[in-house]
């Protein structure tokens, strides 16, 4: 059993209509293509729901396949820009410790 990511391009990120800043930071990829290339190679992810409502909604995902054979070198500079902007906007201290105080998943119970 693995991880099923439900609608990361819509409800998880509104990547069908990304903000200008996110589009600039992800260039030359679209934010949706960057998201695909981050998630696809992860062995723990077994299903990615893309939330397509019409055939054209697959176009960005199809274009992301052009980079599939060179994912690491394609996403590395984009991830570097995104992390730099996150550090600038939120502060390096917060970025290094955002998870402090969050409970471990094994201690959380569904109610």
């Amino acid at each position: 059993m693995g991880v099923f990511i439900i609608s990361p391009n819509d409800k998880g990120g509104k990547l069908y209509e990304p903000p200008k800043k996110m589009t600039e930071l992800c260039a030359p990829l679209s934010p949706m293509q960057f998201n695909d290339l981050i998630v696809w190679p992860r062995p723990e992810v077994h299903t990615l729901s893309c939330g397509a409502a019409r055939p054209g909604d697959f176009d960005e995902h199809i274009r992301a396949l052009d980079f599939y054979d060179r994912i690491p070198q394609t996403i590395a500079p984009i991830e570097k820009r995104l992390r730099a902007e996150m550090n600038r906007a939120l502060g390096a201290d917060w970025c290094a410790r955002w998870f402090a105080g969050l409970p471990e998943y094994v201690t959380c119970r569904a109610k």
Side-chain angles (χ1 to χ4, degrees):
M1 183 171 276
V3 176
F4 184 157
I5 302 176
I6 300 171
S7 203
N9 299 304
D10 184 30
K11 293 158 195 69
K14 298 295 182 191
L15 299 182
Y16 286 103
E17 296 177 1
K20 181 180 176 190
K21 183 176 189 176
M22 182 63 77
T23 300
E24 291 169 354
L25 289 168
C26 288
L29 302 175
S30 70
M32 191 179 304
Q33 290 169 336
F34 177 75
N35 184 52
D36 286 339
L37 297 176
I38 284 283
V39 174
W40 285 343
R42 296 180 181 265
E44 63 272 20
V45 175
H46 69 79
T47 304
L48 178 64
S49 164
C50 61
R54 58 195 152 277
D57 290 347
F58 289 107
D59 293 349
E60 284 296 298
H61 305 289
I62 301 290
R63 285 192 287 275
L65 290 171
D66 292 341
F67 301 93
Y68 191 81
D69 291 333
R70 52 189 197 284
I71 289 174
Q73 62 267 41
T74 301
I75 65 172
I78 298 168
E79 187 172 13
K80 185 176 180 180
R81 283 195 304 271
L82 289 168
R83 290 190 183 280
E85 178 57 19
M86 189 170 78
N87 280 324
R88 187 202 65 73
L90 302 171
D93 184 56
W94 185 88
C95 291
R97 300 176 340 107
W98 65 265
F99 53 85
L102 291 177
E104 293 291 323
Y105 75 96
V106 294
T107 63
C108 297
R109 292 186 173 183
K111 295 185 181 200

